[in-house]
Amino acid sequence: MTWPASCPFNMYNKVVLIGNLTRDPDLRYTPSGIPVARFAVAVNRIQKKNADNEDGGGQDVDFINIVAWRRLAEICGEFLKKGRPVAIEGRLQISSFNGRDGQKRTMTEVVADNMQMLGKRPDGGAEAREAAPAEQGEEDIPF
Amino acid sequence: MANLNRIILVGEIATAPESRVTVGGLPVAKFKLNVERPFGSGGADVIDIVAWRKLAEDSASLLKKGGVVLVEGRIQNRSFDDQSGQRRWVTEVVAKDIRLMEKRSAMAGKAESKAPEAEEVIEDNDLASELPF
């Protein structure tokens, strides 16, 4: 298959993560009123039994920053809590900005376009509820 | 709860792979992948890719700047101390599989902008990312 580099469709960026929230989501609003929620998910690495000699004493968990916008941000802010297991679907985004010291910095985060809570509900109710970012009325939230 | 960390990227190689061998003798290759953002959002993300072992050797010999590839792997955060002793964090994608999205001959025809490809020994702190897969 040939796929010319000039073709505008030569891109794909999809991330799927399952892990636990390291903190409660921080829900804020942009000056124009758009909700944005930020949190991080701890994702354990797969442990291989005979890894120790090559691993170089590396870490065994990755903390991945997540950002959600609009309705999904509000849902995350309302229902996600530190420690709860969650599945995140989105894309990897790298943004650069100038830090307070004037130095150029980059920030890497996963922009969520789908979120699903995993495990039991805190009140012991049903399993796994999904929240889609689509425009929904308050009544439509499956909780 | 089983954890999952999976990413699939298709993009254009922004810098030709730089291949090295760790002190432990493992081949490692690094390159940057330019992934356009979805329509409407504009711009592109330049994402660091790391490959190990056979994948590193193949990347170094086959991948050229400007080529389009599919990269499958996982997102990894790691820290290291830079020359000034400051702790810095990097996020990179550790590749599990890389596929050419164009013919080998087309890839080989890309501008030769060979990166230094030497038996260079990398710093210890880079070993932190050495994980088997």
Side-chain angles (χ1 to χ4, degrees):
Chain A
M1 179 180 66
T2 27
W3 198 320
S6 56
C7 170
F9 303 105
N10 56 359
M11 64 86 168
Y12 188 70
N13 188 340
K14 182 66 82 183
V15 180
V16 184
L17 299 171
I18 294 178
N20 296 72
L21 267 82
T22 62
R23 56 174 192 263
D24 287 349
D26 178 26
L27 178 64
R28 288 162 192 251
Y29 294 85
T30 66
S32 50
I34 298 169
V36 49
R38 284 178 204 272
F39 52 96
V41 171
V43 185
N44 291 322
R45 290 185 188 168
I46 296 164
Q47 302 290 316
K48 289 259 172 79
K49 278 194 182 116
N50 48 5
D52 38 5
N53 47 351
E54 283 176 344
D55 195 348
Q59 59 200 60
D60 51 9
V61 60
D62 290 296
F63 299 99
I64 315 243
N65 289 320
I66 315 284
V67 59
W69 292 87
R70 301 186 176 82
R71 190 76 192 106
L72 185 59
E74 293 177 327
I75 294 168
C76 289
E78 187 171 352
F79 295 105
L80 294 185
K81 288 279 174 288
K82 179 178 174 175
R84 296 218 43 201
V86 69
I88 299 286
E89 215 182 297
R91 64 184 173 85
L92 188 65
Q93 174 172 281
I94 298 173
S95 30
S96 50
F97 60 97
N98 288 314
R100 274 176 219 137
D101 52 0
Q103 280 229 309
K104 199 177 173 191
R105 290 174 192 284
T106 58
M107 181 169 61
T108 306
E109 54 196 4
V110 170
V111 183
D113 46 43
N114 221 334
M115 179 277 290
Q116 178 157 339
M117 283 176 262
L118 304 171
K120 286 206 162 63
R121 288 176 69 178
D123 59 11
E127 297 279 303
R129 299 293 174 151
E130 185 166 7
E135 291 298 323
Q136 293 178 318
E138 204 67 38
E139 308 75 36
D140 295 331
I141 307 169
F143 295 101
Chain B
M1 174 74 59
N3 281 197
L4 180 74
N5 184 344
R6 197 155 290 176
I7 179 165
I8 301 169
L9 298 168
V10 176
E12 205 178 287
I13 298 167
T15 61
E18 240 180 86
S19 74
R20 294 169 179 186
V21 175
T22 66
V23 263
L26 276 183
V28 53
K30 299 189 182 199
F31 61 95
K32 288 178 189 293
L33 193 68
N34 197 60
V35 184
E36 303 257 331
R37 289 188 184 162
F39 298 107
S41 28
D45 296 300
V46 183
I47 299 169
D48 288 311
I49 313 287
V50 188
W52 292 91
R53 299 185 176 82
K54 177 94 168 56
L55 201 54
E57 294 168 343
D58 291 348
S59 300
S61 59
L62 287 173
L63 304 187
K64 301 276 159 55
K65 185 182 172 181
V68 178
V69 288
L70 181 150
V71 175
E72 194 192 337
R74 61 182 178 83
I75 306 174
Q76 166 174 285
N77 282 323
R78 66 183 173 87
S79 65
F80 65 95
D81 296 319
D82 66 8
Q83 285 105 331
S84 61
Q86 274 225 307
R87 174 139 294 195
R88 308 224 301 161
W89 284 90
V90 289
T91 302
E92 57 205 2
V93 169
V94 183
K96 203 164 67 180
D97 193 16
I98 299 177
R99 289 169 198 221
L100 304 184
M101 298 293 280
E102 50 195 335
K103 282 191 181 129
R104 258 185 207 213
S105 53
M107 184 71 84
K110 303 280 178 201
E112 278 286 321
S113 56
K114 267 254 183 242
E117 195 184 321
E119 297 290 296
E120 203 176 329
V121 171
I122 62 165
E123 294 158 42
D124 281 334
N125 51 38
D126 275 7
L127 281 169
S129 63
E130 244 179 68
L131 265 182
F133 32 76

